[in-house]
Amino acid sequence: MTSFPDTITPEKLHADPYPIYQRLRRDHPVAEIPALGCWLVTRWQGVRQVMSHSQTFTTSFPSTMSEIYGPENILSRSGDIHTGMRASVEELFEPEYAGRAREYARKLVIERVSGMHGQADLMGEVLQPVAAEVFRWMLSLEVDSATLLRLAQDVWLGALGCGDPAKLAVAAAAVNELDAALTPWFEGLGPDASSAIARWRHINPGRVCPRGVAEVLPTIRVILPSLPEPGWAAGSLLVALFNDPEQRRLVRDHPELLGDAVHEVLRWMPPFGLVERMTTQPVKLGGTRLPAGAHVLAAIGSANRDETVFEQPDTFDLRRRRQPLATFGYGEHTCLVRAFIPAIVEGLVGGILDIHPGVRADPSQQPRLAGWAARHTTHLYVDGLGDDADQATAPSPPG
């Protein structure tokens, strides 16, 4: 008799992983999925255990990701080298500085949307280009933001391509182009306390400085795919508000609630839905014994909808009591810019709604979310740019 995990395919997960996650949480919280060649972990406690215990669940193993980025990147390293890379730049990404990213994102969005009227693709015309520029600004990279966005999209194609040689070739070409653009600039980079890249080059606590290009480029490569993340999350938030006029009115009438809405969308639809690990030794996880060398995928998107942690977890509700999320990880590999991503999303969405309070989904081209390792809408077609807020929150006509 075929068990439920045996029926799961990448195609089904790509279409909508959440019904699959729900059943796995109930019946198979740590399940070997033959079509994926790995173990899928779906409950909150299991996902947190995988992310928190780096000595048992390591990021350092051969994978598509390490093939694309290089094994020396910050996510694939642990111990002193990883700690040193983080220590070099952590000061720049303290939560008290996140407001600067929010205001910069808001400023750029307002500049882009102020002259818009009628219809547009907000994802392609606004959210992703602005997210790319904020990313470039955050890291002080000497590559134009349009090029960074294109390279990030090409790298993601390979990372999400399930080993497809053609897609891996596109990702490899993007990495080579990035390296060629950055290497001469990096080698001539002097000390600059305000630049993350300069700090990686020149600040290495307790060790020899400066770091060489081979020590830093893999980390820049692995950070590059996070560039679209704020734009994806902002798109998901706008879709959620378009679909719920009551919560849209709440944000309009109480702008201070926008931060709660951002926190909720990062729970309900995290743009990055998985972390990848390998067991270094036999381990018991959620009542299941895993051998050493087991390939594990911890489903962040599922953990954030665990019924034992969140009430009515499949519902987007910005009035929900704030609770910790799995979105930005735990332990040694907690996201370095975890305070900045929500701030950027708030700036993106706040800027759009301030200038175009009547914006709404284009009824002729409804947004469609897809993906599971990265879940987002590739296009966000809207109408009502230039309209007032009452038109956006009016009840939909019957039929």
Side-chain angles (χ1 to χ4, degrees):
M1 182 177 177
T2 303
S3 68
F4 178 65
D6 293 336
T7 69
I8 297 171
T9 65
E11 293 76 19
K12 290 178 181 178
L13 288 163
H14 179 82
D16 187 356
Y18 287 105
I20 296 171
Y21 289 159
Q22 184 180 47
R23 185 165 173 185
L24 286 174
R25 286 194 304 270
R26 185 189 68 197
D27 299 329
H28 309 276
V30 181
E32 190 170 16
I33 311 296
L36 301 178
C38 69
W39 295 81
L40 190 57
V41 183
T42 49
R43 286 184 186 166
W44 172 272
Q45 290 297 340
V47 168
R48 181 162 181 173
Q49 182 178 343
V50 169
M51 292 193 291
S52 299
H53 296 86
S54 59
Q55 290 187 338
T56 304
F57 299 94
T58 183
T59 60
S60 181
F61 60 94
S63 67
T64 299
M65 297 296 189
S66 62
E67 180 180 346
I68 292 172
Y69 307 132
E72 301 303 310
N73 68 77
I74 194 171
L75 290 184
S76 295
R77 300 305 297 264
S78 295
D80 291 343
I81 294 177
H82 174 270
T83 301
M85 289 291 286
R86 288 186 72 103
S88 298
V89 298
E90 276 184 316
E91 181 182 338
L92 293 180
F93 301 116
E94 293 290 345
E96 58 262 35
Y97 300 135
R100 297 186 300 195
R102 179 181 59 248
E103 293 311 310
Y104 189 53
R106 185 175 184 278
K107 171 182 175 290
L108 294 177
V109 160
I110 289 173
E111 289 174 356
R112 277 188 173 258
V113 304
S114 289
M116 289 183 168
H117 296 280
Q119 298 173 314
D121 172 16
L122 284 185
M123 188 61 69
E125 297 178 50
V126 179
L127 297 175
Q128 290 297 9
V130 170
E133 171 54 25
V134 175
F135 177 94
R136 188 207 62 75
W137 167 81
M138 277 173 41
L139 293 182
S140 304
L141 280 171
E142 289 296 318
V143 179
D144 69 272
S145 57
T147 298
L148 284 173
L149 179 57
R150 173 176 58 81
L151 295 178
Q153 291 168 338
D154 286 352
V155 170
W156 260 119
L157 184 69
L160 302 179
C162 299
D164 183 325
K167 294 177 180 178
L168 286 173
V170 172
V175 165
N176 289 338
E177 183 179 345
L178 181 72
D179 288 359
L182 290 180
T183 297
W185 165 74
F186 179 85
E187 289 178 339
L189 190 61
D192 180 353
S194 67
S195 164
I197 309 302
R199 291 175 72 99
W200 268 323
R201 179 144 171 74
H202 292 285
I203 300 176
N204 191 4
R207 293 181 178 271
V208 175
C209 275
R211 290 186 179 97
V213 66
E215 296 176 84
V216 178
L217 269 181
T219 289
I220 300 176
R221 295 177 201 142
V222 83
I223 292 173
L224 182 64
S226 65
L227 180 156
E229 184 175 359
W232 288 343
S236 297
L237 177 52
L238 286 167
V239 170
L241 295 177
F242 292 158
N243 290 337
D244 192 326
E246 180 186 352
Q247 295 195 62
R248 173 74 177 271
R249 288 191 191 96
L250 275 175
V251 170
R252 180 193 70 188
D253 296 340
H254 303 280
E256 69 276 8
L257 293 179
L258 182 56
D260 293 328
V262 170
H263 184 84
E264 173 66 352
V265 83
L266 291 170
R267 179 201 68 82
W268 178 72
M269 197 70 65
F272 289 177
L274 296 172
V275 295
E276 189 175 14
R277 300 287 190 267
M278 182 170 284
T279 56
T280 60
Q281 59 192 34
V283 61
K284 189 173 184 180
L285 181 65
T288 299
R289 279 279 177 189
L290 300 184
H295 184 194
V296 175
L297 293 179
I300 293 169
S302 177
N304 281 346
R305 296 197 186 191
D306 190 323
E307 298 82 355
T308 67
V309 179
F310 303 97
E311 187 177 352
Q312 295 184 321
D314 292 327
T315 301
F316 173 88
D317 187 356
L318 65 86
R319 297 157 296 194
R320 185 186 303 275
R321 177 177 63 86
R322 284 204 190 197
Q323 295 173 252
L325 307 178
T327 304
F328 297 115
Y330 285 95
E332 185 179 32
H333 291 284
T334 301
C335 178
L336 187 62
V337 294
R338 59 195 177 277
F340 278 61
I341 299 299
I344 296 167
V345 176
E346 187 173 345
L348 294 173
V349 175
I352 290 170
L353 295 182
D354 283 351
I355 301 302
H356 295 292
V359 66
R360 57 189 176 273
D362 184 341
S364 67
Q365 302 187 76
Q366 289 293 316
R368 186 179 70 86
L369 290 159
W372 67 299
R375 188 160 182 81
H376 59 97
T377 178
T378 55
H379 299 282
L380 182 55
Y381 296 105
V382 299
D383 199 356
L385 295 171
D387 290 352
D388 62 39
D390 290 334
Q391 290 174 273
T393 55
S396 300

